[in-house]
C-alpha cells in the first residue's frame, strides 16, 4: 500500500472511531490543521518536478477531499446522536396537567372569603368598614353599651379577662364587635353607616362554638333612620349573600342592653339530608340580633337622642360561612389543616365582587 493510501486508511479509521465531536475535531486538526499530516503532504507538492506533481497532485488532493468529506459526515452523525440523546432525557409530556404557580396554589380561608363577600355587598349599599382592637376596656365592651355594673347580661358573655391593673380596672378580649359602635360614634359625626367585621372571644367550645370567632356588626345613625330601613338592608343582604331571589325573614322580639326595641332575625329555610336551602321550606334559622340603638348608648357616645337615632345589628360570620358553604364543624375552621383548606378554601384570584359574582 502506498504511503498516501496508508495514511488515508489510518485517518478514516481515526475518524470512524471518534466518540464525540471534540475527538473528531482533534483528528481534523491532526490531519487538516496548519501542521497536520495532510497539510504537510500538500506542502511537498511545491518541491516536486512537474511530472511527479501530475501524479502526486491528484493523489494528495484526493486524499484531502475524501478526509474532509469523511469528517463532515462523521460530524453530522455525531451531532444527530447527541441531539437524540438529549431529546431522550429531556422529554416533556404535554398531556400532563399544568402545575399551579405558588400564587395559585395557596387558598383563601372561608372566613376571609365570606368577609370579602359581605364587605362587597355592604360597600355597594354605601357602608364603610370600621375596625377596633381585640383587647378592649370593660367600659367600651359593656358599660357604654348600657350593660350596668353587675347586670346579668355581662355574665352571659363568658368573658376572658386580663389580670386587674393597680387601679382595679381590667382589660378583656372583646366579646362582640359592638364596642366598635361606641368607638365609631365617639369619633365620627352622623350620618354614620359602617360595618365592623372582626374577631371576638368567649370562653366556650363545642361543635358550633370556638373561643375565638368572628362577627360583623352594622351601625347606621342619622336623623330619620328607622326599623323599616334596617329590615330592607338585612333582606337585601341575605338575598345577595345567599345568592337567592327571595328570602323570608322573621323578626322576633328579644333583648340586648344596647338596643330598644331589640329583635332576633330568623330566615326561612329547608333542611334536606344535612343540606340547607334558603328561600323555601318550613324551617326557621336564627342568624342575627339587631335593634334600634338605645338612647342611653347614644348619650354615652355624645349624641343627643332627641336629634339622632339609628339601628345596629350583629351577625356571626363563621355561622353564615358554614351555612353558605356547607361545613358542619366550626372547630375545623381554626385547626390550620392544609387538607381542609385545600378542600374548602377559595382560589386567590377569584376575588368576590357583585359584578363578577360573589362565590366562584
Ligand atoms: N353584640 C351582640 C352579641 O354579640 C349581637 C348584637 C345584637 C349586635 C344586637 C347588635 C345588635 O348590634 O343591635 O350577641
Amino acid at each position: 500500500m502506498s504511503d498516501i493510501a496508508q495514511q488515508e486508511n489510518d485517518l478514516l479509521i481515526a475518524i470512524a472511531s471518534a466518540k464525540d465531536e471534540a475527538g473528531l475535531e482533534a483528528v481534523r486538526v491532526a490531519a487538516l490543521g496548519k501542521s497536520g499530516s495532510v497539510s504537510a503532504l500538500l506542502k511537498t507538492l511545491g518541491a516536486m518536478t512537474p511530472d511527479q506533481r501530475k501524479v502526486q497532485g491528484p493523489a494528495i488532493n484526493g486524499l484531502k477531499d475524501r478526509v474532509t468529506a469523511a469528517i463532515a459526515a462523521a460530524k453530522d452523525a455525531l451531532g444527530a446522536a447527541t441531539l437524540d440523546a438529549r431529546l431522550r432525557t429531556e422529554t416533556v409530556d404535554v398531556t400532563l396537567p399544568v402545575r399551579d404557580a405558588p400564587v395559585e396554589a395557596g387558598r383563601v380561608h372561608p372566613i376571609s372569603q365570606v368577609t370579602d363577600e359581605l364587605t362587597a355587598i355592604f360597600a355597594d349599599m354605601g357602608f364603610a368598614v370600621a375596625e377596633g382592637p381585640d383587647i378592649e376596656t370593660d367600659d367600651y365592651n359593656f358599660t357604654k353599651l348600657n350593660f350596668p355594673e353587675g347586670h346579668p347580661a355581662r355574665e352571659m358573655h363568658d368573658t376572658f379577662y386580663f389580670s386587674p391593673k393597680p387601679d382595679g380596672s381590667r382589660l378583656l378580649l372583646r366579646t362582640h364587635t359592638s364596642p366598635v359602635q361606641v368607638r365609631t360614634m365617639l369619633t365620627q359625626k352622623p350620618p354614620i353607616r359602617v360595618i365592623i367585621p372582626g374577631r371576638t372571644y368567649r370562653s366556650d367550645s363545642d361543635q358550633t362554638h370556638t373561643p375565638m370567632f368572628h362577627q360583623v356588626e352594622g351601625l347606621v345613625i342619622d336623623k330619620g333612620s328607622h326599623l323599616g330601613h334596617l329590615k330592607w338592608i338585612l333582606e337585601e343582604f341575605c338575598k345577595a349573600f345567599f345568592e337567592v331571589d327571595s328570602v323570608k325573614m322573621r323578626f322576633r322580639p328579644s333583648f340586648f342592653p344596647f338596643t330598644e326595641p331589640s329583635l332576633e332575625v330568623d330566615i326561612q329555610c329547608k333542611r334536606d339530608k344535612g343540606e340547607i336551602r334558603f328561600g323555601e321550606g318550613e324551617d326557621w334559622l336564627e342568624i342575627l340580633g339587631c335593634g334600634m340603638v338605645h338612647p342611653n348608648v347614644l348619650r354615652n357616645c355624645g349624641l343627643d337622642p332627641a336629634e339622632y337615632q339609628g339601628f345596629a345589628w350583629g351577625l356571626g360570620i363563621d355561622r353564615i360561612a358554614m351555612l353558605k358553604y356547607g361545613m358542619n364543624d366550626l372547630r375545623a375552621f381554626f385547626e390550620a389543616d392544609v387538607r381542609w383548606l385545600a378542600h374548602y378554601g377559595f382560589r386567590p384570584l377569584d376575588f368576590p365582587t357583585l359584578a363578577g359574582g360573589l362565590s366562584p
Side-chain angles (χ1 to χ4, degrees):
M1 203 187 276
S2 73
D3 274 2
I4 291 180
Q6 181 65 48
Q7 197 168 350
E8 179 167 345
N9 207 26
D10 292 350
L11 281 173
L12 292 181
I13 289 173
I15 291 167
S17 45
K19 284 197 190 53
D20 52 26
E21 285 175 278
L24 185 64
E25 177 64 6
V27 175
R28 188 192 69 77
V29 171
L32 305 171
K34 251 200 196 125
S35 36
S37 54
V38 176
S39 308
L41 277 178
L42 281 166
K43 279 183 207 143
T44 62
L45 287 174
M48 286 181 195
T49 63
D51 281 348
Q52 281 176 319
R53 204 179 295 135
K54 244 188 214 147
V55 179
Q56 292 292 336
I60 296 175
N61 276 307
L63 166 68
K64 182 190 159 203
D65 292 346
R66 286 190 295 279
V67 168
T68 305
I71 289 177
K75 193 168 176 182
D76 283 351
L78 283 174
T82 316
L83 184 62
D84 276 351
R86 234 181 94 190
L87 287 177
R88 246 180 284 138
T89 57
E90 290 182 8
T91 52
V92 175
D93 183 348
V94 293
T95 65
L96 283 176
V98 179
R99 196 181 302 151
D100 279 349
V103 66
E104 286 152 6
R107 285 291 175 270
V108 173
H109 194 285
I111 296 295
S112 305
Q113 168 78 16
V114 164
T115 305
D116 288 340
E117 289 180 20
L118 56 89
T119 303
I121 297 169
F122 284 114
D124 189 54
M125 294 190 212
F127 282 76
V129 173
E131 285 179 315
D134 291 11
I135 297 175
E136 256 308 352
T137 62
D138 187 279
D139 186 41
Y140 282 5
N141 196 78
F142 290 126
T143 314
K144 282 206 166 38
L145 287 168
N146 199 37
F147 287 76
E149 301 278 354
H151 191 282
R154 288 186 178 222
E155 307 309 316
M156 289 167 56
H157 277 217
D158 300 314
T159 313
F160 287 114
Y161 286 101
F162 288 81
S163 308
K165 294 202 246 188
D167 67 3
S169 66
R170 287 190 295 179
L171 290 174
L172 48 81
L173 289 174
R174 67 179 180 193
T175 58
H176 50 179
T177 40
S178 306
V180 189
Q181 285 192 31
V182 175
R183 290 177 177 273
T184 306
M185 285 187 269
L186 285 172
T187 53
Q188 294 182 21
K189 276 173 87 80
I192 292 172
R193 219 180 288 153
V194 291
I195 58 159
I196 305 150
R199 293 198 171 101
T200 48
Y201 305 83
R202 290 186 201 182
S203 178
D204 205 353
S205 183
D206 59 34
Q207 194 176 348
T208 52
H209 296 88
T210 49
M212 188 276 295
F213 57 105
H214 299 80
Q215 289 190 336
V216 60
E217 192 89 7
L219 175 69
V220 172
I221 304 283
D222 206 342
K223 291 189 172 156
S225 310
H226 57 71
L227 277 181
H229 297 144
L230 171 65
K231 226 179 136 206
W232 180 84
I233 288 172
L234 294 177
E235 278 173 4
E236 287 306 304
F237 166 72
C238 285
K239 281 196 287 187
F241 180 75
F242 291 111
E243 299 176 68
V244 291
D245 292 333
S246 72
V247 282
K248 276 225 179 83
M249 301 178 83
R250 186 166 76 175
F251 290 72
R252 283 182 289 108
S254 182
F255 171 80
F256 302 104
F258 38 90
T259 44
E260 180 57 38
S262 301
L263 309 144
E264 266 171 349
V265 180
D266 305 330
I267 52 176
Q268 197 176 46
C269 65
K270 182 174 174 176
R271 284 174 225 254
D272 194 10
K273 299 187 205 85
E275 240 190 62
I276 293 193
R277 274 200 302 258
F278 298 100
E280 51 182 312
E282 295 306 314
D283 272 340
W284 295 95
L285 190 88
E286 184 194 323
I287 57 159
L288 62 92
C290 61
M292 297 300 293
V293 178
H294 197 291
N296 287 349
V297 176
L298 292 172
R299 259 190 295 271
N300 291 340
C301 298
L303 296 175
D304 179 1
E307 189 179 3
Y308 290 110
Q309 59 183 26
F311 49 84
W313 69 89
L315 167 76
I317 294 182
D318 320 73
R319 182 103 195 259
I320 59 169
M322 289 167 78
L323 287 174
K324 181 165 178 180
Y325 292 113
M327 296 162 270
N328 53 18
D329 192 338
L330 180 59
R331 290 167 298 194
F333 276 65
F334 309 118
E335 277 167 0
D337 183 336
V338 287
R339 294 164 303 180
W340 183 88
L341 195 57
H343 182 76
Y344 284 111
F346 294 85
R347 302 177 75 86
L349 300 179
D350 293 337
F351 194 80
T353 60
L354 290 187
L358 286 181
S359 54

